[in-house]
Amino acid sequence: MLAVNPTAAFGRHAPAGDEAASCLREAGLDVVVLRRDSMDALREAVDEALRADADALVVVGGDGMVHLGVNSLSGTGLPLGIVPVGTGNDVARMLGLPLQDVVGSCARVVSALADGGRVLDAGRITTGGRTMWFAGAVSAGFDAAVNERANSWRWPRGALRYTLAMLRELGSFRAINYTVTADGAASTEGAMLISVANAQSIGGGMRIVPEAAPDDGLLDLFIVRPLSRLALLAVFPKVFSGRHTSHPAVEIRRVRSVRLAAENVVAYADGERIGLLPLDIEVVPGALRVLA
């Protein structure tokens, strides 16, 4: 089954779904293509198709489509393939998949189908009686505020959009008081941002936790304590190379479960808006099989 987001990367790669379907069919696979006008409708169509005994799900798009696939497949044993033609593509980057390369990505899918693919951990979020999954990271704080601003823009495209949104957000952002309960131990943290990550990067290549491993049975809790605007601007460029980790305001620790609480703070998971804190987050080892 092939699920296509026609608005990935603002339509620049609208033909990617047809190209992916052709590539997979040429490899001898039986492909059913699903397209809908909204993500909610597409999610319902995917879930219905999975109940009809599909063997695998391949998504065409960015991290939003990966998020859809992860939430449909985690815990089922069915594999997820990714053709990354979106804006961020952080999960695909974690897996070493070729970005913006439909033919190359489909070749990886076909090869992984033959050998069974790779088993990863997944993060499970519980909030307000709902349960959701993520493969990349949950963000709450400055980075989520940047995401909120960037998602409201139609231009520019790619990583530059997040950089410009960050510069705009700096003008009004203030440190947040969080209550963080990590593996049962609670603390009050003043912080600019907090992320709980299974993958190394967010926001199209910002390597917040460069040593994270998606199959170690742990999540990486990333905290940036209060900084001045100038200090944050000095640290920010280092995030793309992963050289920020030695800064005294940065803390990274490995955990199995985290509860995040703060007033009026929005959280994002894999670039998708989840809603206001509090959130309960836990790792589920081996919950997701990927065709990579």
Side-chain angles (χ1 to χ4, degrees):
M1 176 171 50
L2 186 75
V4 180
N5 179 4
T7 64
F10 304 98
R12 286 180 295 147
H13 299 283
D18 292 333
E19 186 179 358
S22 295
C23 289
L24 296 176
R25 285 171 178 148
E26 287 172 5
L29 301 180
D30 183 12
V31 180
V32 175
V33 179
L34 295 178
R35 285 186 174 91
R36 297 295 186 272
D37 292 334
S38 71
M39 290 294 282
D40 287 341
L42 184 59
R43 188 177 298 108
E44 291 178 6
V46 166
D47 290 343
E48 182 179 348
L50 289 173
R51 288 192 294 270
D53 203 25
D55 296 319
L57 170 65
V58 178
V59 296
V60 182
D63 284 327
M65 286 297 293
V66 173
H67 188 69
L68 182 154
V70 168
N71 277 273
S72 295
L73 296 178
S74 290
T76 69
L78 291 174
L80 173 66
I82 303 169
V83 179
V85 294
T87 302
N89 300 314
D90 286 298
V91 175
R93 187 176 283 106
M94 169 185 76
L95 296 171
L97 297 176
L99 307 182
Q100 316 299 345
D101 179 359
V102 174
V103 174
S105 298
C106 289
R108 296 287 186 93
V109 167
V110 173
S111 176
L113 276 170
D115 63 23
R118 179 180 176 188
V119 176
L120 305 180
D121 306 329
R124 184 163 57 196
I125 305 165
T126 304
T127 178
R130 299 178 296 148
T131 298
M132 289 160 285
W133 297 83
F134 67 95
V138 174
S139 299
F142 179 72
D143 48 344
V146 170
N147 213 337
E148 188 103 318
R149 184 181 291 275
N151 284 349
S152 70
W153 293 351
R154 305 301 294 177
W155 184 92
R157 297 166 176 166
L160 178 60
R161 187 162 53 113
Y162 293 92
T163 302
L164 293 178
M166 182 274 297
L167 294 172
R168 287 289 301 275
E169 194 64 34
L170 271 175
S172 59
F173 192 83
R174 299 292 183 271
I176 297 167
N177 290 320
Y178 297 88
T179 299
V180 180
T181 306
D183 291 337
S187 62
T188 300
E189 307 274 0
M192 301 297 287
L193 65 89
I194 292 181
S195 289
V196 182
N198 191 45
Q200 296 92 354
S201 68
I202 61 174
M206 292 187 284
R207 302 179 66 227
I208 57 169
V209 284
E211 302 300 321
D215 53 5
D216 62 356
L218 297 167
L219 299 169
D220 284 46
L221 175 61
F222 174 70
I223 300 174
V224 178
R225 293 198 164 79
L227 290 168
S228 68
R229 293 187 185 94
L230 287 176
L232 186 59
L233 277 171
V235 171
F236 182 76
K238 298 179 180 180
V239 175
F240 289 94
S241 63
R243 293 184 294 109
H244 63 291
T245 57
S246 61
H247 193 282
V250 173
E251 178 184 354
I252 299 172
R253 47 183 155 137
R254 292 200 164 126
V255 299
R256 289 183 171 81
S257 66
V258 181
R259 178 177 174 82
L260 298 179
E263 291 187 8
N264 299 317
V265 175
V266 172
Y268 274 72
D270 294 341
E272 296 298 298
R273 196 180 197 275
I274 299 301
L276 292 170
L277 300 184
L279 302 179
D280 291 293
I281 305 164
E282 62 181 329
V283 65
V284 182
L288 181 65
R289 182 178 294 277
V290 294
L291 297 173

